Amino acid sequence: MPPPFEPAPALNSQPLQQRYPVSLRVVSNADMDAADAAQAVATQAASTNQYSGLQGFIRNEWDMMRRHRDTAVGWSERLLQAMRAFNGVYDPQKLAEIKKFGGSEVYARLIAAKCRGASSLLRDVYLGADRAWGLEPEADPPVPDEVQKAISTLVQSAIQEAQSIRMELGPQQIRERLWGLMAKARTAAKKAGEQKANLAEDKIDELLTEGNFYGALADVITDIPLFPYACLKGPTVRMVFEVDWSTGRPVMRRKPKLWWERISPFDIYWTPGAADIEDASIIERTRLTRTDLNDLLDVEGYDTAAIRQVLDNYGRGGLSMDWDMAEAPRAQLESREDPWFNQSHMISCLQFTGNVQGRMLLDYGFTDEDIPDPIRDYAIEAWMIGQYLIKVQLGVSPRRRHKYYISSWEKVPGTPVGNAIPDQISDLQEVCNAALRGLVNNLSISSGPQVVVNDDRLAGLETGEDLYPWKRWHVTNPLMTNSTEKPVEFFQPQSNANELLTVFKAIYDLSDDVSAIPRYLSGNSPGGGAGRTASGLAMLMGNASKIMQTVCANLDRDMLSPALTKLVDLVLLPDTTGMLQGTESVTPKGVAVAMQRETMRSRQLEFLQLTANPIDMSIMGPKGRAAVLRNVSNTIGMPGEEIVPSEDEIQQQQQQAQANAQAAGAAGHSQDPPEPPEPGAGQRPPGGPPKPGPPPGAGGTPQQQSKPGPEGTKAQAPRTALFVQRPRGS
């Protein structure tokens, strides 16, 4: 039988580890970071579960895009590095190491110089006097039906006239004449299409100017050489204030306009797996104020109730924290307030543009008429603040293309993210910084002598800290020390400035080749070699401009062509004037403008001089010469339309000159007797030399042959000489 209880062991009779077993686990820093990241993801997933339906779908898309961009395979850190390089700021880790060493914090700013030079070149191409785009009419426009009927009627009447004078017309003659008339009609249709396209270009250019297109393009040109990608958005409808002076007094009015804007690379996100930006879903992160939300109240397309809930819930404390890891350092580089404090009470809004399944849209509130097939995906645009959707509408683009256009300095196949100048010469920038810091540090150390003070030999209150000219040193001669040792000794550190400066210049010159932006493209001297002469410098600039042609090709293909095509579509939708037919094509001309504009101007001037001779003038005629003068005037920056008369004015001048010549000729013939005929020559007609007659026995045209009439006079030739006629039996 067991005892009722066991005696308790004596106090401290067992070791502490046996009485209280404790297991310790050692966790590395990497494991702790992974655990923190997993916890953050779990927390984010838990917070996402509060969203459902369309809100939950957009929130999941946002979390996916943000997580991908903030990871090592993303590009948030690349954006920050580019911004630091442009501002000449070291990253925090590098700056801490420099301060620990106590060295100079000088920054070479090599990348900033290259980016400024590249931006100036692109600005000269796209924002210069020459329009970097154009509208091309249809290559083979159809001949209007009324013109075809008129040609058919004209041919039939000519056939009847030929039959009335018993002329034989073969099928080949009829076809050739018909083809000739149709060719002239096609030429006239092409010319009419070109005139309409020119008028449409002026109208499109007016819309672009009023809609801030060129201002947004200027900002995009600044981003292209700096960031891995640049983004242009538009056109969107925006209410813009204008001053109306029609009444004689300034009146502020709000008018809707098609608007373009530059989107910061930090504020644009897209589907990570998309190879082409046209196939990606996009989220733009914007910052709104209470005033912006108040302006959206009672505006068609926006949910007024949702906006009021946002103003009620978020108006006091600002916004929900829809930021990423790059937002705080970005705000510091842009000299803005840290968004995590948000004392400005900015409200974060996510603008989603992409495809959503129809079933989800039906659950949100769309009708069966809007969503006929719940299984298909539909393009939408949605604005989301926190958990509130303040705007959801279906895409209206006939090409099913969103309004974001992204391009890069150097394209990388398979991804919208390319390479910029910081990606190309970042290692050279670090070497230049290191050489420049070493140069400054060495100059500061070797700028004066170093002093060695023997404190044991200083007398009294002498410390040896102060140095100044003609200073008297008071020293002692202790018995226990060597009296031959100098109390104060000076030595000069070695200067390595020449070697460091040589390294800096060599790396700087190497950056010209790597970035393909030589310094002479920005106005600096190219030094010796071929750049010493004007022709040599022009040759060097021509070779260096080839890389700019590649960049211009990227901008033309990725931005200008789709953006202007979408604008033409929006103009065609409500257009009733017939200015645009829908067959025009947008033609970017950035590459053509970038191809040595000065060389093209000099060639035009040479062509103008070479064709100033009677032979070429007889070929071109006044209209052709006027077209050349007009084009050359516009190229050199002069108003060609005002200097050179129009075609109608030139035609009127020609008609007036012919009328004056005929009047003068008639007056001269009425006063002077006719000259006697020369021997062996026919009578000279008043209007010019005699016309040679047909050879004997040869058939001629009705204009050359005469037929006796009923009164013995010559019969008149047919009114319309459309065919080469020959008599029957010839």
Side-chain angles (χ1 to χ4, degrees), residues 668-681:
H669 286 296
S670 62
Q671 297 177 1
D672 300 334
E675 298 180 359
E678 298 179 0

Side-chain angles (χ1 to χ4, degrees), residues 33-49 63 66-67 71:
D33 293 340
D36 293 340
Q39 181 65 28
V41 172
T43 303
Q44 184 66 36
S47 62
T48 306
N49 290 334
D63 293 335
R66 179 175 58 177
R67 284 196 304 269
T71 57

Side-chain angles (χ1 to χ4, degrees), residues 11 59 61 73 229 258 271-272 285 383 385 403 411 440 455 460 490 492 513 530 532 614-615 618 628 653 659 695 720:
L11 187 61
R59 176 62 61 173
E61 291 288 305
V73 296
Y229 56 90
L258 296 176
T271 307
R285 184 185 55 193
W383 290 26
I385 300 178
K403 52 193 174 184
K411 301 287 289 185
V440 173
D455 294 334
F490 297 86
Q492 179 67 37
D513 300 332
R532 292 179 299 177
I615 298 177
S618 62
V628 174
Q653 293 176 3
T720 305

